[in-house]
Amino acid sequence: MASGPASGPDAKLLARLKELERENARLQTALSTACTGCDDLLTVTALNEDLRTAFNALERSRAAHADSERRLRAILDSATGHAILTLSPSGRVTSWNPGAVRILGWTEDEARGQPVDILFAPKEVSAGVADALRVRALAEGRIQEERTFRHRDGSAVWGALTILPLQGDEDGFLWILHDRSDERRMEEAIADARRRATDILDSIDEALVALDCDYRVIYQNRRAEQLDHQSLSVMRGRRLWEVWPQLAGSDLEALCRKTMTERQPTSIEKRFDGEGTTLWLEIRFLPTAEGVGCFFRDITMRKRAEEEARASHERAVTILESISDAFYAVDHDWRFTYINRKAEQLWGRSRDTMLGRRLWEVFPKALGSESLEAQKQAVREGREMTVEVVSPVLGYWVEVSIYPNADGLSVYFRDITVRRQAQQALLQAKETAEAADLAKGKFLAAASHDLRQPLQALLLFVDVLKPHVQGSQGANALMHLGRGLDALKELLDSLLDMSRLDAGVVQPNIENVPVAPLFDHIAASYRPVAAAKGLELHVSSCNAAARTDRTLLTRMVRNLVENALRYTESGRIDIECRRAGGRLLIEVRDTGIGIPPDHLERIWEEFHQVGNPERDRNRGLGLGLAIVRRLSQLLNHPVDVQSKPGQWTSFVIALPLGRTVEAPATAAEAATAGRGRFAVVVDDDAIVLLGLETIFREWGYEVLVAGSEQKAVEGLSRKGRRPDLIVADYRLREGQYGTDAVAHIRALYDAPGKPPSPGPIPGLILTGETGPDCERDAAAHGLGIIHKPVTPRQLSHALGELLGGT
């Protein structure tokens, strides 16, 4: 501590000494100017003695003061656990002990003269915290508080501060600061641990009340507060039965005391009935270091669920006992847990002798049976199963329904012997019918194929003959020949359509189809035919689109128009479309002979015709409407028919509306000029092969014809030219197929070492097959397909699509 001005007794002695010195000075002056009498000398001598005495006393006082200051300094320097500093009245540091250096970081030289604000954060400095503390200390004489102080490095120091104003000549303040940072952190850690423990206890579903050894409440969690509706502050210090008087003398008090004395956990489930309410509690008493912990859990919902489960079980038992099916249940160890009365009757054994025993212990024949293996599979896969097996126990057919569950397996079984016998009879009848249908299909396919081959050659040769026939008589004969061949082709085409629809190989391509182009095409195709019969054909289109298959819808409308043309001798035929009820309706209406009511359903049958007992070929074959019905079902486009015999008939197709799109440009048919392209034609029928060779050469193609794949490969090796096109029959001799022939020819020009090709050689299968295998095979090889018999115009169009119209 620095020395300050003298205070207390030393100040008085010093003032006296100064007074004596002033008196001595006056006396000496007087002696030097006056006489030197004895009295004056004695007086001076006495004064000098007093002066020496006072000076000696002053020296002793100074020595004592310095010693006291040294001792105080030693005390302050040794108090390293406290920061002790003095401040001037204005708040600047006047002294700073080593404890302050250790706790606050500044040295005494750095701190001396600094405002005490250096110990506070900038926010507190701005708020004038240091000034407020000085004002309080002056007003109260002594203040104490704990707060955060700022260390020299900017970190926080938590300290307990005492401030005393200094009295006497040395005004200012004494600050004593005790560092409690470690204690504070410990207290905060303890408080945090208590907080976490309280949070955990408050979050549990159980109500907790902690008792001391005198059964007084020392703690309860939030769930307990919700249960007893009293806060911890109200509960603390009260005995358990003071809180709940109804516990006094009860079995719960007995359990609590038992836990307290024997230090063993106890528990009980207790029901409490109130006014219109029932509460179930699970109560547990656990010994603790302080006494006993009482845990209360609300189990009312569980108890209700158990009661409902028990009631449900009783209802289930009642149902299982009354059903006509036999039923049993086994656990995971395959022991019977339940057997109903029906199973007991079928097995002829009392269930009391079977319950608790394994299934195969009761019925050894079940081991390895299909029924038991199915039950094991259901358990392994965890899924329900239903099987029909011959019971190894009963010896007849049963239907077994198996349901895995958490407890094991539930099994229902019933006698289905009669049903199995009926199914077997139906199966045999079905197999007989399918065999007959297959035979019919094979016959139709073979007959169709065999008829198509010569017809295909005739169609080609008729077209080839046209430029070579001279004279009207020859041309007329050739025209009649062509019409006859067209009628025969129509018959075969209809049979082909029927067989393909029945085989399920037709897959619709659903898209937005504008109606106007379709109507334009129908009008262009059939207006000349109608005019030739003296009929008016009116077409009223609409600017709409349908969600349908373009080709199949066109076939439906064409068949209806052709049907109208055949059965209308005078008047008109109207084709129109309109929107109605969110759908698009296409109507074909005629003024023909009409349809009797008893024929309205029969017209959809194959070969059925109204008013044509003589089977006039001019009225078709009776397949057009049958095809319409099948296409209607395939596309889900219902067709409604109404008619008044002798006056009119109306067919209406209902289609889903589509989004209107621009009509696609029609692909131009390939010009019949081959322009020197090289075509390979493979067919095992010599007449057809000759007809194809003739028509291709007429069109300007260079042609290589072959009756087999081998002949085609040999001819190509001599030719030395890559084909531009391959046309092959599907079914060749010796079990060969046209698709394989195309693949092998393509491979000749795609082999390693060959010049790179622009892509596979275009190929077309020309076949009389009516089954689905041919179409699937052609699609798998990326080949087009066209069915015999085909007219030269149809063949030209197919080639145009295949070659891209070039």
Side-chain angles (χ1 to χ4, degrees):
M1 276 295 211
S3 299
S7 61
D10 291 342
K12 293 179 181 179
L13 287 174
L14 185 58
R16 178 61 179 159
L17 181 60
K18 288 181 178 180
E19 184 182 350
L20 290 174
E21 287 179 346
R22 287 194 297 273
E23 185 64 28
N24 186 40
R26 285 194 303 272
L27 291 173
Q28 286 181 353
T29 303
L31 287 174
S32 63
T33 57
C35 63
T36 56
C38 292
D39 291 337
D40 292 333
L41 184 58
L42 290 174
T43 299
V44 171
T45 302
L47 290 171
N48 284 332
E49 187 61 30
D50 289 341
L51 182 61
R52 280 194 295 272
T53 300
F55 182 76
N56 289 335
L58 177 61
E59 287 298 322
R60 286 194 299 274
S61 176
R62 283 179 175 174
H65 180 74
D67 184 58
S68 175
E69 189 178 56
R70 280 192 301 275
R71 286 197 299 274
L72 178 60
R73 183 71 185 185
I75 291 171
L76 293 177
D77 290 346
S78 64
T80 57
H82 292 73
I84 302 174
L85 52 149
T86 58
L87 306 180
S88 68
S90 64
R92 291 188 176 273
V93 176
T94 57
S95 68
W96 187 270
N97 79 327
V101 176
R102 184 186 68 80
I103 294 171
L104 298 171
W106 284 276
T107 66
E108 184 174 4
D109 291 339
E110 291 173 335
R112 191 188 298 277
Q114 293 287 339
V116 78
D117 288 345
I118 63 174
L119 303 184
F120 296 92
K123 272 186 164 184
E124 294 178 315
V125 174
S126 301
V129 171
D131 294 338
L133 290 173
R134 291 200 299 274
V135 171
R136 279 182 56 204
L138 289 173
E140 299 174 16
R142 173 191 179 95
I143 61 172
Q144 289 182 308
E145 68 174 44
E146 292 191 7
R147 63 182 302 114
T148 300
F149 295 92
R150 180 171 173 268
H151 192 275
R152 185 179 188 277
D153 61 8
S155 60
V157 176
W158 183 265
L161 175 65
T162 301
I163 303 179
L164 295 169
L166 293 176
Q167 303 295 329
D169 295 334
E170 191 165 342
D171 293 337
F173 302 90
L174 175 66
W175 281 30
I176 303 173
L177 176 64
H178 173 51
D179 183 6
R180 291 195 66 249
S181 299
D182 292 340
E183 297 173 27
R184 174 77 171 182
R185 283 191 288 271
M186 185 64 69
E187 290 170 358
E188 289 177 347
I190 293 171
D192 186 57
R194 286 177 178 168
R195 210 162 32 247
R196 287 198 301 271
T198 301
D199 289 343
I200 292 171
L201 293 174
D202 283 343
S203 66
I204 63 177
D205 188 45
E206 291 180 296
L208 166 63
V209 178
L211 308 176
D212 63 13
C213 58
D214 198 26
Y215 301 97
R216 295 183 184 276
V217 176
I218 57 177
Y219 174 78
Q220 72 171 2
N221 68 352
R222 186 179 295 115
R223 189 75 179 94
E225 288 186 2
Q226 296 170 353
L227 190 64
D228 56 40
H229 304 292
Q230 298 188 70
S231 65
L232 177 59
S233 60
V234 174
M235 295 279 291
R236 187 179 279 119
R238 299 172 64 189
R239 285 188 172 88
L240 186 63
W241 27 90
E242 291 175 354
V243 178
W244 291 298
Q246 65 269 31
L247 298 184
S250 68
D251 51 354
L252 292 177
E253 180 188 357
L255 286 176
C256 183
R257 291 186 181 277
K258 181 179 180 181
T259 299
M260 183 74 79
T261 55
E262 298 180 7
R263 313 306 293 164
Q264 292 293 326
T266 58
S267 64
I268 189 174
E269 292 183 357
K270 191 76 172 175
R271 173 174 174 162
F272 298 90
D273 293 315
E275 295 182 4
T277 61
T278 298
L279 177 68
W280 277 93
L281 292 179
E282 178 189 49
I283 305 170
R284 296 182 297 126
F285 298 102
L286 302 177
T288 65
E290 294 85 0
V292 173
C294 308
F295 292 86
F296 303 83
R297 182 192 295 274
D298 185 351
I299 58 171
T300 307
M301 296 299 294
R302 193 191 81 193
K303 282 294 186 180
R304 288 177 183 169
E306 288 175 355
E307 291 174 1
E308 290 176 2
R310 188 162 43 251
S312 176
H313 175 72
E314 291 173 357
R315 288 194 299 271
V317 169
T318 302
I319 293 171
L320 290 173
E321 289 300 316
S322 63
I323 62 176
S324 59
D325 289 346
F327 172 82
Y328 65 86
V330 295
D331 60 17
H332 293 294
D333 200 28
W334 295 92
R335 297 182 184 275
F336 285 112
T337 58
Y338 183 80
I339 300 170
N340 75 344
R341 187 180 294 110
K342 183 65 174 180
E344 190 179 35
Q345 293 170 354
L346 288 178
W347 286 334
R349 302 181 62 168
S350 170
R351 53 183 139 185
D352 294 335
T353 64
M354 296 184 282
L355 291 174
R357 299 174 62 190
R358 286 188 175 90
L359 187 150
W360 47 82
E361 292 174 352
V362 178
F363 302 112
K365 292 181 179 180
L367 280 173
S369 69
E370 187 178 352
S371 175
L372 183 58
E373 292 304 313
Q375 295 176 50
K376 289 180 177 179
Q377 181 183 352
V379 171
R380 284 194 307 271
E381 299 177 1
R383 65 182 180 90
E384 301 174 3
M385 292 181 62
T386 298
V387 296
E388 296 182 359
V389 297
V390 175
S391 169
V393 178
L394 302 174
Y396 51 74
W397 280 96
V398 293
E399 180 185 81
V400 184
S401 300
I402 309 162
Y403 301 91
N405 54 61
D407 299 322
L409 204 64
S410 298
V411 181
Y412 298 80
F413 62 96
R414 63 189 65 86
D415 184 355
I416 59 166
T417 304
V418 174
R419 191 180 82 191
R420 288 288 298 193
Q421 291 171 348
Q423 286 177 344
Q424 189 64 30
L426 286 174
L427 181 62
Q428 290 176 352
K430 179 175 177 291
E431 290 175 350
T432 302
E434 287 177 348
D437 188 61
L438 181 62
K440 181 189 75 171
K442 288 182 177 179
F443 169 75
L444 287 175
S448 175
H449 180 270
D450 292 343
L451 287 170
R452 288 169 186 276
Q453 291 294 87
L455 180 59
Q456 179 63 74
L458 290 173
L459 286 170
L460 294 174
F461 281 119
V462 165
D463 200 75
V464 172
L465 283 174
K466 285 180 181 179
H468 302 287
V469 174
Q470 302 295 326
S472 59
Q473 187 175 359
N476 190 48
L478 190 61
M479 179 189 69
H480 287 295
L481 174 60
R483 288 181 178 177
L485 293 175
D486 286 342
L488 182 57
K489 177 182 181 302
E490 181 183 350
L491 171 62
L492 293 176
D493 284 344
S494 296
L495 290 173
L496 172 62
D497 286 342
M498 292 293 294
S499 63
R500 292 174 72 232
L501 287 169
D502 289 341
V505 299
V506 178
Q507 297 296 325
N509 177 30
I510 303 300
E511 58 182 337
N512 291 306
V513 178
V515 176
L518 184 149
F519 274 44
D520 292 342
H521 177 72
I522 295 293
S525 300
Y526 292 102
R527 191 165 277 130
V529 180
K533 290 190 67 174
L535 302 174
E536 297 181 21
L537 179 63
H538 294 270
V539 178
S540 300
S541 183
C542 59
N543 186 23
R547 292 287 298 168
T548 184
D549 181 291
R550 187 189 311 274
T551 303
L552 300 183
L553 175 63
T554 302
R555 185 59 188 270
M556 289 180 70
V557 177
R558 289 176 66 95
N559 281 13
L560 292 177
V561 174
E562 290 174 0
N563 184 75
L565 286 168
R566 290 191 183 101
Y567 291 93
T568 304
E569 298 300 329
S570 63
R572 59 187 288 168
I573 297 172
D574 292 283
I575 308 170
E576 64 180 38
C577 70
R578 61 184 180 272
R579 293 182 178 89
R583 297 186 302 175
L584 183 67
L585 305 182
I586 296 179
E587 181 178 10
V588 178
R589 187 173 58 254
D590 64 61
T591 58
I593 65 173
I595 304 171
D598 58 336
H599 284 254
L600 285 175
E601 283 301 320
R602 296 180 60 195
I603 60 173
W604 306 109
E605 299 173 2
E606 297 91 337
F607 304 110
H608 180 80
Q609 293 178 306
V610 177
N612 188 21
E614 299 85 5
R615 303 299 296 171
D616 181 2
R617 292 301 94 191
N618 291 325
R619 293 192 176 182
L621 307 167
L623 293 176
L625 294 181
I627 293 173
V628 169
R629 168 59 64 89
R630 281 168 169 76
L631 290 175
S632 167
Q633 295 169 344
L634 178 66
L635 296 172
N636 193 22
H637 295 348
V639 180
D640 178 62
V641 58
Q642 295 182 3
S643 181
K644 188 170 184 180
Q647 295 187 29
W648 56 269
T649 299
S650 169
F651 289 90
V652 179
I653 307 172
L655 305 96
L657 278 168
R659 180 171 51 86
T660 303
V661 294
E662 293 183 4
T666 57
E669 294 186 7
T672 53
R675 301 175 190 155
R677 293 190 185 95
F678 180 30
V680 175
V681 181
V682 182
D683 198 305
D684 58 358
D685 188 293
I687 298 177
V688 172
L689 194 62
L690 179 59
L692 288 171
E693 180 183 17
T694 304
I695 196 71
F696 269 90
R697 292 193 187 280
E698 287 286 331
W699 289 343
Y701 283 86
E702 182 180 349
V703 187
L704 171 64
V705 295
S708 66
E709 173 194 328
Q710 182 181 356
K711 295 292 185 181
V713 171
E714 291 175 355
L716 285 170
S717 63
R718 292 191 299 270
K719 194 74 173 175
R721 180 182 175 185
R722 186 179 189 273
D724 297 300
L725 171 69
I726 307 171
V727 178
D729 188 15
Y730 179 66
R731 198 176 297 275
L732 303 172
R733 292 175 183 170
E734 299 180 359
Q736 295 183 350
Y737 294 93
T739 50
D740 294 331
V742 174
H744 292 157
I745 292 172
R746 284 174 170 177
L748 293 176
Y749 300 94
D750 294 332
K754 296 284 185 180
S757 61
I761 300 170
L764 181 68
I765 296 297
L766 181 62
T767 179
E769 294 285 329
T770 58
D773 294 340
C774 175
E775 296 202 18
R776 295 194 192 102
D777 197 6
H781 286 80
L783 301 174
I785 186 168
I786 186 169
H787 291 275
K788 298 176 182 176
V790 58
T791 65
R793 183 175 178 276
Q794 290 173 326
L795 178 59
S796 174
H797 182 75
L799 292 177
E801 290 183 343
L802 186 67
L803 299 173
T806 58

